[in-house]
Amino acid sequence: MLTTRPRGTNDILPGEVEKWQFIENEARKVSRDFGYQEIRTPIFEHTELFLRGVGETTDIVEKEMYSFFDRGKRNITLRPEGTASTVRAFLENKLFAEPQPTKMYYIGPMFRYDRPQAGRYRQFHQYGVEVFGSHHPSVDAEVIGLACTYLEKLGLSGIKVHINTVGCPECRPQHHVNLLKYFEDKKDKLCNTCQDRMAKNPLRILDCKNSTCQEISISAPTTESSACSECKGHFQQVLNYLEILEVNYLVDPKLVRGLDYYTHTAFEILVQGIGAQSAICGGGRYNGLIEQCGGKPMPGIGFAMGLERLLLTLNNEKVNLTGLLSNPEIYIAVTSPKAQELSFRLAMELRKKGISTEKDYFEKSLKAQMKAADRFDVKFTLILGEEELANNKIIVKEMATSEQKEIPIDDILSYLERGLLKND
Ligand code: HAM
């Protein structure tokens, strides 16, 4: 146990972590370009927030939350997603009093007690964005456009957005009636959870992973078939704006999302190659959520991307993320114990100047140190021994040419700076 991580979690090791930094930095850059500011909310919240925010009939709330009582007997949950927390922070910090819309993004770990498999973990990471305060259909398209721009900037091509309208409080009751009518004589064949869903929220049956339920659902009435004129009009305008952005989309009347808060637009970006087909991005509009969490009625929309799934996809698509590893530029080899202190000080001075420097920590032979310098693929190796110390000089070996020079110790910083500039 001591040397085993909990099931469904991952260590992100040196070598891999550079890819994470790269995709996170790109997310920050694209978000900024689109006018979003970062928000950081706590990793845990009061359980009540997710019961209200995510919805009591969702898989997340029914079976996937990491909930516990803390020592003060508060019911706490590790956040399973970022939207509810962002809404809570928006309300608690009165960001609604600022000029609207509010455009925010977040990057961080989420927790769901899911069945671990490729691309499905218990601790995973999301890059998500949320926009509060505007009903305008161009915002729906802009949010989708942001997701696509990000993926394209990372080098993914052929992105297709699956999109649907999932109704609103106006037309959803009619859809529920239609669904109940459809499932009535098929109820016995549904799984136990879906039989329960008949009473609580029949829409969720359409999202069941059970193959029999999926088969039964094939001909179920779509949300579009009962959409009100407002929903239909909004959806048509979103599609028009997507055309302007030249986003490749597919209207998928069967698309429902796994969270209860969605109204109007819902979308996913699906990829092949992680298990069967899976979503690297999911999002949509949630015009009732802010009110549901205790605020005044205010619309919202956003998406979240699974960063593990994104990296798996970049890997599968052979998108080249190499060259991100930054090797040290300098290696200092020491051939005499007397030179240790000077080499130690020199390494520090170089690092403070922003020149990444490695050195030997074991008093190894010169041969072994030169091997290490090769392994690090540095540009220059500095060799410092008793003789150099006595002459106040240092040997500089340019690794690409194997050319060696003796440089006065006092000049070494400026010499290396010039040499590194030449190499850039
Ligand atoms: P979601 O569809 O539950 O939506 O999650 C978004 C993305 O997170 C998924 O498409 C997937 O890439 C990733 N993901 C979810 N669960 C796991 C898991 N167990 N392991 C690995 N990756 C996973 C939301 O979370 C909404 N809050 C999105 C949103 C924001 N809607 C509006 N604003």
Side-chain angles (χ1 to χ4, degrees), residues 274-292:
I274 310 174
Q277 197 183 43
S278 61
I280 51 171
C281 176
R285 213 169 238 294
Y286 42 85
N287 288 351
L289 181 61
I290 295 179
E291 189 180 9
Q292 218 165 296

Side-chain angles (χ1 to χ4, degrees), residues 310-381:
L310 176 55
L311 278 167
L312 281 169
T313 307
L314 291 168
N315 201 36
N316 289 346
E317 299 285 313
K318 309 258 176 311
V319 173
N320 191 2
L321 293 178
T322 52
L324 301 171
L325 275 173
S326 53
N327 293 324
E329 292 165 299
I330 308 289
Y331 187 88
I332 306 180
V334 180
T335 60
S336 157
K338 286 188 186 148
Q340 282 294 347
E341 285 185 10
L342 179 60
S343 78
F344 182 71
R345 199 165 60 230
L346 189 57
M348 278 306 196
E349 275 176 36
L350 288 166
R351 290 164 178 164
K352 282 186 185 168
K353 285 256 176 214
I355 300 172
S356 59
T357 305
E358 259 306 339
K359 64 184 282 295
D360 165 68
Y361 295 98
F362 301 102
E363 307 202 2
K364 278 193 236 151
S365 69
L366 178 62
K367 195 172 159 207
Q369 293 185 67
M370 293 312 285
K371 239 189 189 168
D374 271 338
R375 190 163 39 82
F376 282 123
D377 199 20
V378 293
K379 295 191 178 115
F380 295 97
T381 301

Side-chain angles (χ1 to χ4, degrees), residues 81 83 112 114 119 121 126 130 257 261-262 279-280 302-303 306:
E81 59 104 53
T83 310
R112 294 183 195 176
D114 235 329
Y121 310 102
Q126 284 186 343
E130 313 292 348
R257 300 266 303 125
Y261 47 62
Y262 292 110
I280 51 171
F303 70 72

